[in-house]
Amino acid sequence: QVLSFVIPTELQSVTHRALHRLFHTRSCLFVGLHVALQAAVYGEYTWEVFGYCWELQFHLLLLLLPYLLLAGNLGCFVLCSRANPGTITKSNHASLVKIYAYDGVLFQKGIVCPTCNMEKPARSKHCSFCSACVHRFDHHCVWVNNCIGAFNAKYFFLYLFTLAAMAASIAGVTAALLVQVVLLSNVLHGSYIDDQGQEHAVEILFLVQHLFLTFPRIVFMLGFVILLTVILGAYCCFTLYLALTNQTSNEWSKSRRYGCSHHLTVQPHDSRAVYKNIYSKGVWMNLKEIFKPPTMLERKKK
């Protein structure tokens, strides 16, 4: 009877440790997927779209724009993935803890990280993937396999915007190619006969089906990059909003639990503190902080 209870408990413990190692360690899986998707899109763009556009005498600079954006994006990707996001250590803890004030709601003085065994500076958070506390923690990005913190936020900002611009440029060139093909073929003025033998003018649905049967890989790629452009564009707008208001995604997520006021107060009816973003210094200074994070030396000068 004792063994029947002990063994399942031990198995649960082993399973828990295995799952923790699997999902709470830095992995190159998503980095590989990211590279594979880029290679597939650019392979199709180079193999078919570029060739057709060249034959149709598209401007060379327009055709090379996706490659220029790719070069910039790869540079930002390497910098973002290899840069120190702001890992808090015993040697830099004393200086980092003085950079931001505690707001008393999201960040309170005296909270000790049980893993790092150090007091958490304001705007920091412990990342279970990297097993470290990160200064001005935003989030852990699996696509760059690194945390996004104070010291690599600028690289992530540029990486994200160049990635969205890449998808938009490829979508624009590909859509222009298909439009040009449709106009040259004069298919819009044609007609087709359905299964019942009735003649119909060419409609959008028929045109899409015709293009998909003629250029299946190009149309599939166009649909994929359009979807990617919409998703990345929305994320870019959200990231820009956070930058202009001097918030991190971690702070934005936590602040949803609180109300918003001009003062930090305690509501008498529910005894919950009201959150106010005390880190915003105006649009220009907030954006400047992304590209030049404050140091203790700069704070003393102020």
Side-chain angles (χ1 to χ4, degrees), residues 48-49 51-53 55-56 58 173-188 207 210-212 214-215 218-219:
E48 288 198 289
V49 176
Y52 288 133
C53 289
E55 291 179 6
L56 293 173
F58 276 56
V173 173
T174 306
L177 168 64
L178 295 179
V179 169
Q180 189 74 357
V181 168
V182 169
L183 293 176
L184 291 175
S185 64
N186 206 29
V187 68
L188 290 175
L207 185 60
H210 173 72
L211 289 173
F212 185 77
T214 309
F215 309 103
I218 293 179
V219 174

Side-chain angles (χ1 to χ4, degrees), residues 88-103:
I88 301 172
T89 62
K90 293 186 183 296
S91 60
N92 63 16
H93 176 268
S95 59
L96 293 180
V97 78
K98 297 176 182 178
I99 291 179
Y100 292 113
Y102 292 91
D103 64 5

